[in-house]
Amino acid sequence: RQAQDDLADWSQVWVKEPGMPVISTIMETADGNVNQMNYQQEKTSPAGNYWTQTTEAVLIYPDSSIRMPITISGKTTRVKAVEGLPAPLAILPNGSPIGYGYFALDSTSWEFFLANLPKLDDPVTRGAGWLALYEEFLRGNLADTTFFRAVLRALASESEPLNRSNLMGYASTVFWRFFSPDERLANASMLENLLWSRMEKADSRSDKATFFRAYRDIALTDGAVQQLRDIWEDRLTVPG
């Protein structure tokens, strides 16, 4: 009884209908500041309804970021709280772990994230950013090699265990499900060398085991396969 939203309408679209929200952001700027920012939602439910939900927008600046709670409702949601702020370098429209749907990145934002996500201090923002880029990749907006190489660059320095695990999952998915046999061979040694190097430098046994399992699962080149055979036959010892 205390809910402010109509629960019957909410349950109709969230519980009873298939599909998922498709949401984009549109930002207008003037003189280096945000003039207006809207969340635009497509009608993707069978009955033509809109999903109502809360999430967080993350505005990225050169030396900081701003998280802003957003309640998305209807076709257009105007985010008045950002008006007058300096124009950001990039926008992460779904920086929340509970936001659901396809939140499309604008081209400026995904180009920024491809090049700069590993440099962001906040691990939650990094994780949400990689999930957003993975969604863009799955929808054909990023080339498989472009996304794969960006993931490997991030994996070389990522310190948050959950983010590392997700990055290894993204790399494995591209490697085995999207690359052609020739593309796998062309990229295999790069991935193998990275995983082995991270395993050798890992501080904990659990981290070493995580990187070794990933290495074992993608080993493709003759050198990597021989290395696994040497370990199996006790001619080589895994560090740690």
Side-chain angles (χ1 to χ4, degrees):
R1 292 183 178 181
Q2 295 179 0
Q4 296 179 357
D5 297 323
D6 189 321
L7 291 182
D9 290 344
W10 182 92
S11 63
Q12 175 64 37
V13 68
W14 279 99
V15 179
K16 298 180 181 179
E17 295 187 19
M20 67 184 297
V22 175
I23 298 166
S24 58
T25 55
I26 299 175
M27 177 176 285
E28 299 175 4
T29 62
D31 299 322
N33 294 320
V34 178
N35 185 40
Q36 185 170 314
M37 175 177 163
N38 294 326
Y39 275 62
Q40 294 289 124
Q41 184 173 182
E42 297 181 18
K43 281 190 175 182
T44 53
S45 79
N49 295 315
Y50 293 107
W51 280 262
T52 297
Q53 62 175 309
T54 59
T55 185
E56 289 181 329
V58 184
L59 277 61
I60 308 295
Y61 294 96
D63 299 312
S64 63
S65 62
I66 297 176
R67 282 186 168 270
M68 193 161 295
I70 307 291
T71 298
I72 302 169
S73 180
K75 179 180 180 180
T76 302
T77 299
R78 184 173 176 178
V79 187
K80 293 185 178 181
V82 307
E83 294 174 7
L85 293 176
L89 298 173
I91 305 166
L92 184 59
N94 182 26
S96 166
I98 62 172
Y100 172 72
Y102 168 46
F103 289 78
L105 296 176
D106 62 81
S107 59
T108 298
S109 294
W110 64 250
E111 287 175 0
F112 174 88
F113 289 135
L114 275 175
N116 296 286
L117 261 181
K119 303 174 187 176
L120 301 184
D121 291 333
D122 180 30
V124 176
T125 301
R126 293 199 304 273
W130 282 113
L131 181 59
L133 286 175
Y134 183 57
E135 184 70 36
E136 296 296 338
F137 161 70
L138 292 177
R139 290 175 177 266
N141 298 328
L142 291 177
D144 50 12
T145 301
T146 298
F147 180 67
F148 181 80
R149 299 285 176 88
V151 166
L152 264 56
R153 289 194 297 271
L155 188 54
S157 60
E158 179 59 57
S159 58
E160 171 59 40
L162 179 57
N163 287 347
R164 285 201 309 254
S165 177
N166 288 338
L167 287 168
M168 285 188 280
Y170 301 150
S172 178
T173 297
V174 177
F175 190 78
W176 291 116
R177 294 182 54 191
F178 290 90
F179 276 166
S180 67
D182 287 343
E183 287 175 320
R184 276 196 290 275
L185 284 173
N187 288 279
S189 61
M190 185 187 310
L191 179 54
E192 293 165 352
N193 292 339
L194 172 60
L195 293 173
W196 186 268
S197 175
R198 290 233 51 181
M199 180 196 66
E200 289 184 313
K201 297 175 182 176
D203 294 326
S204 69
R205 292 179 63 88
S206 62
D207 284 349
K208 288 181 182 293
T210 297
F211 285 114
F212 178 75
R213 284 193 295 267
Y215 177 86
R216 177 198 62 196
D217 291 344
I218 61 89
L220 184 65
T221 64
D222 292 342
V225 172
Q226 183 61 51
Q227 205 160 25
L228 291 178
R229 183 177 292 112
D230 290 342
I231 293 170
W232 179 259
E233 296 175 355
D234 293 326
R235 292 194 298 268
L236 178 65
T237 301
V238 177

